[in-house]
Amino acid sequence: MDLNILWFILVAVLFIGFFVLEGFDYGVGMLLPIMGKTDTERRVIINTVGPVWDGNEVWVLTAGGAIFAAFPHWYATLFSGFYLALFLMLVALIIRAVAFEYRSKAEDPKWRAWWDRGIVFGSLIPAILWGVALGNMLRGVPIDADMHYVGTFFDLLNPYAIIGGLTSLSMFLLHGAIFLNLKTSGELSERALHLTRRIGPVTTVMVAIFIVSTYLMTDSFSRLGVNPGPVPIASLGALFAAAYFVHIGRLGWAFLMTSVNIGLSVITIFMALFPRVMVSSLDPAWSLTIYNASSSPKTLTIMSIVALIFIPIVLAYQTWTYWVFRHRISIESELTY
């Protein structure tokens, strides 16, 4: 394995961590007005992710930094071509972050209602746009021989990418609903279970549509064949396993299965791309790969040493954080947000 492949794998791992952890954050934020009937209930819901949401976002910042350093041409083409979409996502995330911090600074119901809308907006937009972005990377976008994106914003809003966005939206909603069942108690937990059972079938249908669309609208069929291998099959199996565990009331196992489903889905997308990182819809020869988009071997070597030192530290710290805030939150709990 050369360093280009190693960093392709590390970028995939960073995105897996981001989507698994931030995925339930987005789900909780989108479910806020549905789950929370009173201000106190909404505060309980927000406090389930309050101590961890900003730490979860570190994963995508690290992934972006890794792409910038390891594959600068990928970074340049991605961020210039998807500029408006990424700008919209950034605005949504800023609004979401401010809403978390400012919501409880005043007791005025109108004040809190507006910040609640900010949390919903800041969770909904990224949940959709991440699926749209991954869909476009897999399907292909207009990239010329000089690695420049030559399309428009509306080229990104093709049917396949929109299906990808709706699929990621439904997956995060399910992930968040199960998380809320684990982190709340009493009526809120029962309400979350009811929502989980309603969202689950919709998510399954969307995943099925996305799989069929991937075979029809991308080159995955020619690259992976009719039998895509154990990883995509295991991803779909994890989703059905989650449904089974929800049915028998084992929500901890269900959450583990949705995490596995999200993680294996990301691996499947990166497998379908490899060794490419962005597909050119104009000419396959103009696609960006882990070789023509990468930094120098010296840069990759230095980055590998740094990653070997600091990634275990970050993992240990985040594991400790989740352990400290592992308890359920109830209406009687001391609420911070």
Side-chain angles (χ1 to χ4, degrees):
M1 180 188 297
D2 57 35
L3 290 177
N4 300 70
I5 296 176
L6 174 63
W7 274 97
F8 181 77
I9 294 173
L10 287 177
V11 169
V13 169
L14 290 171
F15 273 110
I16 290 170
F18 171 68
F19 286 128
V20 169
L21 297 176
E22 192 71 357
F24 67 74
D25 273 4
Y26 291 153
V28 169
M30 290 184 287
L31 292 172
L32 179 63
I34 301 172
M35 279 281 297
K37 304 302 182 183
T38 66
D39 179 67
T40 302
E41 289 181 346
R42 289 189 287 273
R43 290 194 68 192
V44 169
I45 293 167
I46 293 170
N47 274 264
T48 61
V49 296
V52 298
W53 69 269
D54 47 356
N56 294 342
E57 288 192 350
V58 170
W59 286 83
V60 75
L61 297 177
T62 308
I67 294 173
F68 174 78
F71 304 105
H73 295 295
W74 180 13
Y75 182 93
T77 304
L78 177 67
F79 278 77
S80 60
F82 293 16
Y83 180 81
L84 287 177
L86 292 174
F87 178 77
L88 177 60
M89 186 186 299
L90 180 61
V91 170
L93 291 175
I94 291 173
I95 292 174
R96 179 171 175 263
V98 174
F100 274 129
E101 298 299 331
Y102 277 79
R103 182 192 186 278
S104 294
K105 298 299 183 183
E107 296 185 2
D108 182 6
K110 292 184 179 179
W111 168 274
R112 294 188 172 184
W114 276 107
W115 288 124
D116 287 345
R117 296 185 187 101
I119 292 174
V120 175
F121 175 79
S123 302
L124 174 67
I125 297 302
I128 296 175
L129 289 183
W130 277 117
V132 171
L134 290 175
N136 277 301
M137 288 169 58
L138 189 58
R139 174 184 176 273
V141 292
I143 299 174
D144 65 15
D146 297 320
M147 301 185 186
H148 295 155
Y149 179 83
V150 293
T152 67
F153 171 76
F154 296 101
D155 290 322
L156 303 178
L157 302 179
N158 54 80
Y160 178 72
I162 292 173
I163 291 172
L166 294 176
T167 302
S168 62
L169 172 69
S170 62
M171 291 172 69
F172 292 157
L173 280 170
L174 177 62
H175 200 41
I178 296 175
F179 178 80
L180 281 172
N181 183 272
L182 294 174
K183 287 292 291 182
T184 58
S185 59
E187 184 179 348
L188 277 177
S189 183
E190 294 175 3
R191 202 176 295 161
L193 179 59
H194 176 69
L195 277 174
T196 299
R197 288 172 173 162
R198 294 180 61 183
I199 296 170
V202 177
T203 302
T204 304
V205 170
M206 284 308 309
V207 169
I209 293 174
F210 181 72
I211 292 172
V212 173
S213 301
T214 299
Y215 272 89
L216 295 177
M217 301 181 185
T218 72
D219 62 1
S220 297
F221 179 80
S222 59
R223 292 173 61 83
L224 300 179
V226 177
N227 180 5
V231 174
I233 294 174
S235 174
L236 190 59
L239 187 59
F240 285 109
Y244 169 74
F245 285 121
V246 169
H247 177 70
I248 65 174
R250 302 293 296 273
L251 274 297
W253 282 100
F255 184 76
L256 177 62
M257 288 299 102
T258 54
S259 300
V260 170
N261 170 249
I262 292 171
L264 293 181
S265 297
V266 175
I267 293 175
T268 300
I269 291 173
F270 274 75
M271 284 173 52
L273 280 171
F274 182 82
R276 306 166 302 178
V277 290
M278 289 188 73
V279 179
S280 172
S281 60
L282 302 180
D283 188 336
W286 295 344
S287 298
L288 277 67
T289 71
I290 61 174
Y291 297 106
N292 66 14
S294 72
S295 295
S296 67
K298 183 177 181 180
T299 299
L300 296 179
T301 301
I302 295 173
M303 288 175 58
S304 300
I305 296 171
V306 173
L308 184 64
I309 296 171
F310 286 101
I311 286 180
I313 296 174
V314 173
L315 289 174
Y317 171 75
Q318 193 146 32
T319 302
W320 175 79
T321 302
Y322 275 90
W323 176 256
V324 170
F325 296 104
R326 67 189 183 278
H327 302 291
R328 289 179 181 266
I329 300 176
S330 64
I331 292 177
E332 292 77 23
S333 302
E334 182 178 348
L335 303 176
T336 304
Y337 293 87

